[in-house]
Amino acid sequence: MKKINRFLLFGLSVLGINSIDAQERKSLTLDEAVHLAWGKSNEVGLANAKVNSKKYELESAKNNQYPDLRISGQYQRLANASINLKSSQNSNSGSLPVVDQLMIGQINVSVPVFAGFRIQNSVQMHENLYEAETASATHTKEEVAMKVINLYASLFKAQKTISLLKENQKRAEQRAFDFSELEKNEIIARNDLLKAQLQVSKIKLSIDEAVNDENIINFQLITLLKLPVGTQLEIREGDFANFKMDNVPTSEQPALENRKDLQAVQLQGKASQANIKLAKGGYYPSINVIGGYVALDLKNVVTVQNAMNFGLGLSYDLSTIFKNGTAVKLAESKATEIQNSEAMLTDYIKIEVQKAIEEYHLAIQQNEVYGQAVAQSSENYRIIKDKYDNGLADTNDLLEADVEQLSANINKTLAKANIIQKYYALLNATGQLTRTFTISKL
């Protein structure tokens, strides 16, 4: 029996150690979290894949500038071939040879000289599309970084809220215990004890809700960062709040110069202009310099060797006179779409920047007010507590003052994090977010 108990205790101790390890929290700075997301998130991976696709499309367009070289050969067996040599001067020269085999070998070279500027415009269009996709990928990185920042700040707020609630819970539980002793000695009414116990229950519910929020946000963040399931992140205040907010934007001008999504649309506009020229190139003929080599052997009849040829090739699709107008109009219509998209995006950016500026300044003002509220609520609680101890205030006043003090402390803590969050949002709105982090790690 003792052995069983020893094994049981050992097993429980091992489980306890594993439980502690499972609950061990991982500390991660915001900079580390952002770079982890840039390296592992699906959004960034997709954006990079699109950039590579545009790069290969550009290389494919450039390849059209180079000569085409074709090598071909044939071997054919001929059955009962009838041979009539027109150049023969003597029809009674004897029986004709048996022709049952044909071999042909060819090398053809075609060098594009003029194609209605289609090749150059195609290259230009794909260069602009490649640069546009690169800008879009950078914008995607900015959006992913902002998503990480929002989750990181929300997790920090949840953890700080839990910490403050637990501190208040200790005081509330001590108060409920003291009231219980006073109620036993019939110094206070039972109703006052119940009010103190009810406040303890409310705090426990608030803690449960905050823990639930923390777990949800933590799961969202570790999923975005591709961390192992079950990882518990701990946001230390020094890893998040201790930095200087410099060069705060005050207008939309930086956004119009730096926003990558706007640059992407502008580059798409350039590509659409090249596409119009590409479509108009269909009105022109194509001219190529051609050359080649032919070797031929018709068994028992003729052998041709070292037959070199060169010249010019001209091709023109007459149907384009009637059909190409639609292609040009289509290209022009798409260019108009992009122009309208750029105008809409520019207006949206201006509104977004102004909103971000206002929200940042509001966060600063709220922080100042909450700072005053903390001092006021602390002093109010001290006064009410003195009055309560001297019988000049009732339990409701005391508990209300305690709740107000807790609320002020939570609001003040969250306000600090909110300023940082709004600062990053303002940088994101003006296209300057990635400059806050180390670009070389992208």
Side-chain angles (χ1 to χ4, degrees), residues 120-259:
Q120 298 93 322
N121 289 320
S122 177
V123 172
Q124 184 63 47
M125 181 185 71
H126 284 91
E127 282 180 348
N128 289 322
L129 290 176
Y130 170 64
E131 292 175 2
E133 198 63 54
T134 302
S136 294
T138 302
H139 179 67
T140 298
K141 292 183 176 75
E142 293 171 347
E143 292 299 307
V144 169
M146 197 64 229
K147 188 184 295 186
V148 172
I149 290 167
N150 288 331
L151 289 173
Y152 196 93
S154 297
L155 186 58
F156 174 78
K157 293 176 183 179
Q159 291 178 353
K160 292 297 291 185
T161 299
I162 293 170
S163 177
L164 292 172
L165 286 171
K166 287 184 176 180
E167 290 179 9
N168 188 259
Q169 181 185 32
K170 294 177 181 178
R171 187 166 67 181
E173 288 176 344
Q174 182 61 47
R175 183 188 300 117
F177 176 78
D178 294 341
F179 277 26
S180 177
E181 296 299 318
L182 294 173
E183 192 270 339
K184 288 179 182 177
N185 295 318
E186 298 182 352
I187 298 176
I188 63 171
R190 180 166 179 76
N191 186 53
D192 290 335
L193 171 61
L194 293 175
K195 290 178 181 178
Q197 292 174 337
L198 179 60
Q199 188 181 41
V200 172
S201 298
K202 289 181 178 179
I203 294 173
K204 288 181 178 178
L205 289 174
S206 297
I207 291 175
D208 290 340
E209 290 178 359
V211 169
N212 181 67
D213 292 340
E214 179 194 15
N215 290 337
I216 293 173
I217 297 168
N218 183 84
F219 183 78
Q220 290 176 324
L221 187 53
I222 65 171
T223 301
L224 178 61
L225 302 181
K226 303 301 180 184
L227 294 173
V229 176
T231 301
Q232 294 292 322
L233 297 176
E234 179 182 13
I235 311 301
R236 296 179 300 193
E237 189 164 355
D239 292 338
F240 178 62
N242 293 342
F243 76 98
K244 191 175 182 180
M245 289 173 277
D246 295 323
N247 300 321
V248 179
T250 57
S251 70
E252 75 273 5
Q253 191 58 37
L256 300 179
E257 296 173 356
N258 299 309
R259 282 283 292 255

Side-chain angles (χ1 to χ4, degrees), residues 201-430:
S201 298
K202 289 181 178 179
I203 294 173
K204 288 181 178 178
L205 289 174
S206 297
I207 291 175
D208 290 340
E209 290 178 359
V211 169
N212 181 67
D213 292 340
E214 179 194 15
N215 290 337
I216 293 173
I217 297 168
N218 183 84
F219 183 78
Q220 290 176 324
L221 187 53
I222 65 171
T223 301
L224 178 61
L225 302 181
K226 303 301 180 184
L227 294 173
V229 176
T231 301
Q232 294 292 322
L233 297 176
E234 179 182 13
I235 311 301
R236 296 179 300 193
E237 189 164 355
D239 292 338
F240 178 62
N242 293 342
F243 76 98
K244 191 175 182 180
M245 289 173 277
D246 295 323
N247 300 321
V248 179
T250 57
S251 70
E252 75 273 5
Q253 191 58 37
L256 300 179
E257 296 173 356
N258 299 309
R259 282 283 292 255
K260 295 301 180 181
D261 52 345
L262 181 59
Q263 291 180 14
V265 173
Q266 291 170 344
L267 288 165
Q268 288 172 1
K270 292 181 179 180
S272 69
Q273 295 302 318
N275 189 43
I276 293 174
K277 296 177 181 178
L278 179 62
K280 290 181 177 179
Y283 289 121
Y284 300 97
S286 296
I287 300 175
N288 297 330
V289 174
I290 57 176
Y293 169 87
V294 177
L296 180 147
D297 178 44
L298 183 59
K299 187 177 179 181
N300 297 326
V301 176
V302 62
T303 298
V304 179
Q305 295 180 345
N306 300 324
M308 305 292 292
N309 62 85
F310 62 91
L312 290 176
L314 175 67
S315 64
Y316 186 67
D317 186 357
L318 294 178
S319 65
T320 58
I321 299 174
F322 308 100
K323 297 179 180 178
N324 205 57
T326 302
V328 173
K329 290 179 180 178
L330 176 61
E332 291 173 342
S333 178
K334 289 184 176 180
T336 303
E337 289 180 14
I338 295 175
Q339 289 174 358
N340 290 328
S341 297
E342 181 182 349
M344 292 172 59
L345 180 58
T346 301
D347 291 341
Y348 170 78
I349 288 173
K350 291 178 180 179
I351 295 171
E352 185 181 10
V353 171
Q354 187 60 37
K355 180 182 177 182
I357 291 173
E358 296 295 337
E359 290 183 347
Y360 173 72
H361 289 303
L362 176 62
I364 293 176
Q365 294 171 359
Q366 289 176 333
N367 184 58
E368 294 176 355
V369 173
Y370 286 138
Q372 297 172 1
V374 168
Q376 293 165 352
S377 63
S378 297
E379 180 64 13
N380 180 62
Y381 179 80
R382 185 190 67 79
I383 294 173
I384 297 296
K385 183 68 168 59
D386 288 342
K387 286 184 177 182
Y388 180 82
D389 292 340
N390 291 290
L392 301 176
D394 60 16
T395 302
N396 287 335
D397 295 331
L398 179 64
L399 297 179
E400 183 180 351
D402 183 62
V403 170
E404 289 177 350
Q405 185 180 29
L406 172 63
S407 178
N409 287 329
I410 292 176
N411 288 335
K412 174 62 177 175
T413 300
L414 300 188
K416 292 180 180 178
N418 198 46
I419 290 176
I420 298 171
Q421 194 173 358
K422 296 303 180 183
Y423 170 70
Y424 279 123
L426 179 54
L427 292 182
N428 184 51
T430 54

Side-chain angles (χ1 to χ4, degrees), residues 1-9:
M1 189 69 179
K2 290 182 180 180
K3 289 184 178 180
I4 295 176
N5 289 336
R6 288 175 184 173
F7 284 123
L8 180 61
L9 290 173

